[in-house]
Amino acid sequence: MKKALRFIRSMRFGILLLVLIALCSVVGSLIPQDKAVSWYAQNYGSLHGVILMLRLHRIFQSWYFIALLVLLCLNLTLCSLVRIVSVVRDRRRVVARTAALPDQVRLSAEGVQRLRRHLEDIRCRRETIGEAEVYRKNAVGRYGSFLIHLSILLVVLFGAAALYLPQVVDRTCLPGESVVMDDGTEISVDAFHIEDVTGRLDYSSRIRIRLPDGRNSEWVDIRVNHPLAFGSWKVYQQTYGTAGSVTVTNLADGGSDDFTLTDTALLSLDGASGLWYEAVYPDYLLDPSGNMTLVTSTTGRYEHPVYQVLLASDGNLRPILVFPGEELEAGGLRFRFNEPIEYPGLRIKRTPTVINALLIASFVLMLVGLYIAFFMPPVLIKTDAEGYAVGGLKPEGMRIKLDELLQEYRREE
Amino acid sequence: MRTLFIVTIILYAAAVILQFTGTAFKKERLLKLSWLVFLAAFAVHLLFTIVRGVAAKRIPLSNQFEFANAFAWGVALMLIVIRRRLKADWLSVAAMPMALLILTYAALQPMEIRDLMPALRSAWFGIHIGSAVLSYAAFVLAGSVGLRYVLLARRNGAEEESRLRQMDYLSYRLVAFGFLFLTVVILSGAIWAEQAWSAFWTWDPKEVWALITWIIYAVYLHLRLRGKRRGAAMAWYLVVAVPVVLFTFAGVNTLLPGLHSYG
């Protein structure tokens, strides 16, 4: 048992886990994830059985990948505990231990003086123990490695919570309408614009959140990178769409109504004659003989919108292309085609805000740990009348620096 | 502006040729000239980057061309800093061609200035991508030091021994620097992703390869802590890791489309 525990907290096991996680990640990046089963059958032929059996198509959610992460957490926890215990226990002993080191480099009396002056210049603290003078600096550097390991553990834990705890739904909402969530929270969209006033692509929605307790957010413009957070809700500008807009007038009584159409629909009095709405296209191309080809848009701009509809009368369907401003009549109705309406697709997320705050605090802790570990290495140097020795956990850098310093002294002499 | 870019490439190429000739024929004057030409290339490179930034009215880091341009500049900047601070002239022979190679890759990319797309209009843009430039540049230089180490390790002598120790430590410092900044890349990217896409992590290919790179260098740092794992083996490790960095930078965008495919 002791042997197993020692292995689980060992650096060797940690490295093994990291390598396995990296290998799974390579596979997960090369095999497209979360596609339909038929997609793998189509693209990988006979290999698709292996992919599905080993869950390589959902590798980051597979039991073995999650097991690797759990084992990494275990390794980090045990390794952090052992590390902090030994660092705290040894914090007083290191100075005495350094003072007891035999000289690694012999120096003349003048050399020792120059070295001591240099160490004082770089703001090392001096402690006299018997014959030896121990210079030390950056004691905090001893905690860097512990902080890094602890913060990685926290990032994995809070990261998993931030990934799996939130409720996320995607909704489209026409301007002037609202989306009501399960708890009664209401998200209203006032307007949506693809371009800003300068004509630059912007994809911005003006929205407001009303919580069930009656509290309202301000009306806020959200766009990519600028979501609205209110209460435990966060609303993102995610996608966009364009709906057809048709004013329908009953020729018999003169009554009219506006329809906003996002999907195919039949506008009819009797269910047979009238207008089949199919789609609205952003633009078209005309060839020299006057034939029109409808084109789609990647930006969402509708430069020259065209409606594609079917006129239904006497059991016949006649395809027609119509421009905004034009009118058609069928089945006792008049259809006036208006400029299309742009609408947003919103991503609505409910998340415990404390999780995000803890995750970001873990990020900061990790950066602090890395900075301390790499850029504030603890300095422990023992000097006596005949030379010096470098002690501590990471003596290498200081040894090289002092070697260079001595070479400089020798050149000067 | 294109002329400035072409002049930059020509100057870097001249510096590399002079460096190789000087090293091959042991001509000190050629090596000095190579360094002066390299400094001139760096200055023109900086000027080009500033001019492009002014013309684009933003930090010029938004597509493969601009990132590769900044990446090459980062390698050159670090080489200059290391040479000045550590008097590590020997680094030039491996690092100069790296800067030229990356800039040549930039030259193969579409160069026109485009409006920043909405997804990239964020305060995190400069931090995230700027850190990536520094991090990748440090890793590429660490690989260059590793290569130099491997070549020098074939000789045996007291002078070589001391220099090898310095090289080993310098590559560790470069990896530590790169690792810190790669961590900034990943963490700032996670915060940005939450702002833009609603999730801190989406297993997008670029994220995954940044994580793979991070793990590769984390393993290096751990192996190096184990006393015996130093020297030539670790130098080789750094050399072999460079293609992974380059794949994360360029290969992923080209071969594995995802949320980071901004062109």
Side-chain angles (χ1 to χ4, degrees), chain A residues 87-153:
Chain A
V87 167
V88 171
R89 196 182 49 206
D90 287 355
R91 74 182 190 283
R92 295 214 175 275
R93 294 187 205 159
V94 283
V95 178
R97 213 178 283 160
T98 306
L101 285 174
D103 284 341
Q104 291 154 354
V105 177
R106 294 208 163 263
L107 292 175
S108 63
E110 193 194 340
V112 170
Q113 286 312 312
R114 287 186 78 169
L115 174 63
R116 285 177 175 168
R117 272 203 302 278
H118 170 76
L119 293 171
E120 276 161 20
D121 285 348
I122 60 167
R123 294 180 188 160
C124 288
R125 283 168 60 189
R126 190 179 61 187
E127 210 168 306
T128 307
I129 301 177
E131 298 281 299
E133 286 192 351
V134 177
Y135 288 83
R136 61 196 174 102
K137 191 180 161 182
N138 294 345
V140 71
R142 292 164 53 75
Y143 298 93
S145 181
F146 164 72
L147 288 180
I148 295 170
H149 288 81
L150 176 69
S151 62
I152 294 173
L153 174 67

Side-chain angles (χ1 to χ4, degrees), chain A residues 14-25 65 69 72, chain B residues 139 179 182 186 208-222 237:
Chain A
I15 291 174
L16 177 69
L17 290 171
L18 286 176
V19 170
L20 291 174
I21 289 169
L23 286 176
C24 287
S25 302
F65 189 77
L69 291 180
L72 183 69
Chain B
F139 290 147
F179 192 75
L182 183 59
I186 294 173
V208 170
W209 276 90
L211 176 68
I212 292 166
T213 311
W214 190 87
I215 288 176
I216 284 172
Y217 285 99
V219 170
Y220 167 85
L221 292 167
H222 280 88
Y237 188 105

Side-chain angles (χ1 to χ4, degrees), chain A residues 53-55 58-70:
Chain A
M53 192 179 72
L54 298 177
R55 298 191 61 78
R58 298 197 70 204
I59 199 165
F60 300 116
Q61 289 86 34
S62 67
W63 65 267
Y64 53 85
F65 189 77
I66 292 168
L68 287 175
L69 291 180
V70 171

